[in-house]
Amino acid sequence: MDWRRKDLLEIRELSREEILLVLDTAESFKEVSKRDIKKVPTLRGKTIITLFFEPSTRTRTSFEIAAKRLSADTINISATTSSVVKGETLKDTALNLESMQPDVIVIRHSLAGAPHILSKILNSSVINAGDGSHEHPTQALLDLFTIREKKGKIENLKVVIVGDIAHSRVARSNIFCLKKFGNEVVCCGPPSMIPPYLDTLGVRVEYKLESALKDADVIMALRIQKERGGVSFIPSLKEYATFYGLKKEHISLAKDDVIIMHPGPMNRGVEITDEVADGPYSVILDQVENGVAVRMAILYLLLGREQ
Ligand code: CP
């Protein structure tokens, strides 16, 4: 199939075929990062701007590396060092950047829907690198890629997502993505961090971590979203860690070949212990590595449609 979208805004709107196209394309790009000379000429002459209104280590860096490995030119803008601090609006910022003829604008913003607004006013392709508590589509795609790599399939798995589900764009994108492939998704966390609409998405809720983890194929631990008020929904981080922190003794409740995932950044000792994060079941750094290949695939598909 051909990729026909101008933008990548959310997982919810993607078909299974589109998701598989991203995964298969990423598979072919993963090898580029293993070469001595990690560069192919595919996007030579293209310009990619990353526009981040929230902090990031993995997403921003891997978009830049992905673009550079495809020979595109990259410009990184962080809101704190841009004219946003002088009062310029998102719309004016985006229109001024577009005047310089970029091909793609990658945006992260605390406002849910900010990438959708840009997609309506810009001719450049827009990629959502995380919008508020709404979606983080490229994270879900790299997570699915990692699951396929480690489990050999992306269907009929039991995936347990643990933590601050209510404020997590990673959880939402992963739920949409995993349910499209017929997986059993169980969300676990304190009642105050479980949004009321989960049953409408076909997700089962468990409040007791030990019950949730039984026979899990995949466990995803989530960070409490402090920047979205997450800590005010629990009595204390210590209590949260006691009841919902992933510890070594929890692993034996899951399947023997369980994988442990975390989108990062981790708060060690809160949602995950060192033993689990650094242990033999962890694929957390594989997720980061795969993020480059998946973002190369997305840039290629968005820009390739012009060629
Ligand atoms: N997973 C993720 O989005 O990490 P960053 O916030 O470091 O980009």
Side-chain angles (χ1 to χ4, degrees), residues 52 55-61 108 129 136 139 142 169-170 223 262-265 295:
F52 275 53
S56 169
T57 297
R58 282 146 289 269
T59 311
R60 200 197 59 72
T61 310
R108 169 170 288 188
H136 191 347
Q139 180 69 44
L142 74 88
R169 55 197 178 204
V170 174
R223 179 176 66 87
H262 192 304
R295 290 176 175 123

Side-chain angles (χ1 to χ4, degrees), residues 10 82 156 200 214 233 243 280 284:
E10 55 186 42
S82 74
N156 302 317
T200 65
K214 195 170 175 323
F233 288 77
F243 290 103
I284 294 168

Side-chain angles (χ1 to χ4, degrees), residues 46-95:
K46 300 291 182 186
T47 304
I48 291 152
I49 295 179
T50 66
L51 175 59
F52 275 53
F53 289 79
E54 287 188 336
S56 169
T57 297
R58 282 146 289 269
T59 311
R60 200 197 59 72
T61 310
S62 67
F63 263 116
E64 184 175 358
I65 290 176
K68 287 190 160 138
R69 291 201 175 149
L70 294 170
S71 300
D73 297 310
T74 58
I75 294 93
N76 300 309
I77 301 172
S78 111
T80 50
T81 53
S82 74
S83 288
V84 169
V85 293
K86 300 178 200 162
E88 192 163 42
T89 64
L90 171 64
K91 182 179 174 185
D92 282 336
T93 302
L95 289 173

Side-chain angles (χ1 to χ4, degrees), residues 72-127:
D73 297 310
T74 58
I75 294 93
N76 300 309
I77 301 172
S78 111
T80 50
T81 53
S82 74
S83 288
V84 169
V85 293
K86 300 178 200 162
E88 192 163 42
T89 64
L90 171 64
K91 182 179 174 185
D92 282 336
T93 302
L95 289 173
N96 277 272
L97 291 175
E98 179 150 271
S99 301
M100 296 179 238
Q101 311 300 327
D103 298 284
V104 179
I105 295 184
V106 181
I107 177 171
R108 169 170 288 188
H109 203 287
S110 58
L111 176 70
H116 302 67
I117 293 169
L118 293 201
S119 82
K120 287 189 170 62
I121 59 172
L122 300 182
N123 293 318
S124 317
S125 288
V126 175
I127 300 177

